[in-house]
Amino acid sequence: VALILQCLQLMFGDTRRMVAYDRAAAFCKRLCTFALHYPAHGAIAILASVRHMLEKQATLRQMLDTDHPVSGVYLPAVDDPEHCFALSSTLWELSMFFRHFHPFLRQYALDVAKLSDDSELEKHSPLAYLTAFDASEGGFNPPIVAPEPHPLEKVLAKEQRKSKERVHFVRPSLEYPTSEFLLNTAASVPEIVGNIQAESVSSVLVGHFNASREYRLQKLAHQLSMMRQQWEIIQQTRHKWIEEQRSTKASTTSRASNKSKRSG
């Protein structure tokens, strides 16, 4: 971005030389389009260059008006900037920054769109903006403001202070049992687990899997029978339709032959 800004400064920064307004308008339009794809610091620097061009050439300010007269259709794919009819378009890209997360970029885009001289923002060069708002090494300019405390935080803090006055310790019932039922259950668990035999477990599992397999086979057989019935219904309907077509054709042929005999 810095190299692009330096080239723009050499091209449009000299006040003694005036670039053709068609070419300048094409650069303004392309720069606003490029700014949409750059980070915040690059977009601010690019908009600073666009603002400088708008202030230098009054003809370009009609691109800020949506009702200005046009003499063609903007052609962004044309290589020659003087023949792309950039003055027939508007700088609508500025409106995309009106809701940007960066507060300075949001306000700066509004100032460029209004092009007012009574702006509260300080004017700097595009390279200065690029350096000042660069967040690639950490940090954020302007610093992020901490959010205001929620109104319910005071209520929660007050409730916490009240709860500290009444401290209750809840102990796990299994670690410190107080019920005879829990004591008897905890003592009988190892005996129950030890009495389980592997053969009985395997027999139960085999029976479960056999029952599951039988259920799947029955379900599959039912689906096949339903499909067979549907296929028979389709075949019957098809044969019936063929017979109707044949009878219709035969009746039509007989009528035509009778008509020809009568005419003869």
Side-chain angles (χ1 to χ4, degrees):
V1 181
L3 181 59
I4 295 176
L5 296 176
Q6 292 176 2
C7 295
L8 292 173
Q9 180 65 25
L10 293 175
M11 186 174 181
F12 299 99
D14 191 0
T15 57
R16 296 171 298 178
R17 186 180 63 179
M18 188 69 66
V19 182
Y21 62 87
D22 289 332
R23 182 179 292 271
F27 273 91
C28 279
K29 183 64 177 176
R30 293 286 182 89
L31 288 174
C32 288
T33 304
F34 292 159
L36 295 175
H37 305 281
Y38 279 105
H41 65 288
I44 294 172
I46 292 175
L47 292 185
S49 300
V50 172
R51 179 170 188 168
H52 174 72
M53 296 166 64
L54 294 173
E55 292 176 347
K56 184 179 179 181
Q57 297 191 14
T59 309
L60 306 181
R61 299 176 188 177
Q62 63 178 330
M63 301 176 69
L64 299 175
D65 186 8
T66 57
D67 296 331
H68 71 277
V70 298
S71 59
V73 180
Y74 175 56
L75 303 174
V78 174
D79 295 333
D80 193 350
E82 295 186 5
H83 296 86
C84 67
F85 299 102
L87 288 174
S88 299
S89 64
T90 59
L91 299 180
W92 59 266
E93 293 86 357
L94 295 176
S95 63
M96 303 300 292
F97 295 107
F98 293 168
R99 296 181 179 272
H100 200 273
F101 73 91
H102 199 285
F104 186 88
L105 177 55
R106 184 168 60 247
Q107 185 61 38
Y108 196 80
L110 287 170
D111 290 348
V112 174
K114 295 178 181 178
L115 206 64
S116 58
D117 297 332
D118 56 348
S119 176
E120 300 179 357
L121 303 178
E122 298 181 359
K123 295 183 180 180
H124 299 284
S125 64
L127 290 175
Y129 281 127
L130 183 66
T131 306
F133 293 96
D134 187 9
S136 59
E137 297 182 358
F140 192 80
N141 186 15
I144 300 176
V145 181
E148 298 181 357
H150 197 274
L152 293 178
E153 288 187 3
K154 295 182 180 180
V155 179
L156 293 176
K158 187 176 180 180
E159 293 294 333
Q160 289 178 359
R161 287 195 298 268
K162 289 183 180 180
S163 63
K164 289 181 180 179
E165 297 175 359
R166 305 187 303 270
V167 180
H168 301 281
F169 295 95
V170 180
R171 298 178 178 179
S173 59
L174 292 179
E175 186 176 357
Y176 301 97
T178 57
S179 174
E180 294 182 359
F181 173 76
L182 294 177
L183 289 172
N184 296 332
T185 304
S188 60
V189 167
E191 298 178 0
I192 297 173
V193 175
N195 294 331
I196 297 177
Q197 297 180 0
E199 295 180 357
S200 60
V201 173
S202 62
S203 63
V204 171
L205 292 177
V206 168
H208 171 73
F209 287 126
N210 290 334
S212 177
R213 185 177 60 182
E214 291 293 334
Y215 172 76
R216 288 197 300 269
L217 291 176
Q218 293 177 3
K219 186 177 180 180
L220 183 60
H222 178 69
Q223 292 177 354
L224 290 175
S225 64
M226 294 296 294
M227 293 175 63
R228 190 180 296 107
Q229 293 176 4
Q230 292 177 0
W231 176 252
E232 291 177 356
I233 294 172
I234 293 172
Q235 290 294 330
Q236 292 175 3
T237 306
R238 179 173 175 272
H239 290 311
K240 185 177 180 181
W241 180 81
I242 292 173
E243 292 296 333
E244 290 178 355
Q245 292 294 326
R246 288 178 179 175
S247 61
T248 304
K249 186 176 181 181
S251 61
T252 304
T253 305
S254 62
R255 290 176 184 176
S257 61
N258 294 332
K259 187 176 180 180
S260 61
K261 290 179 180 179
R262 291 175 183 176
S263 61

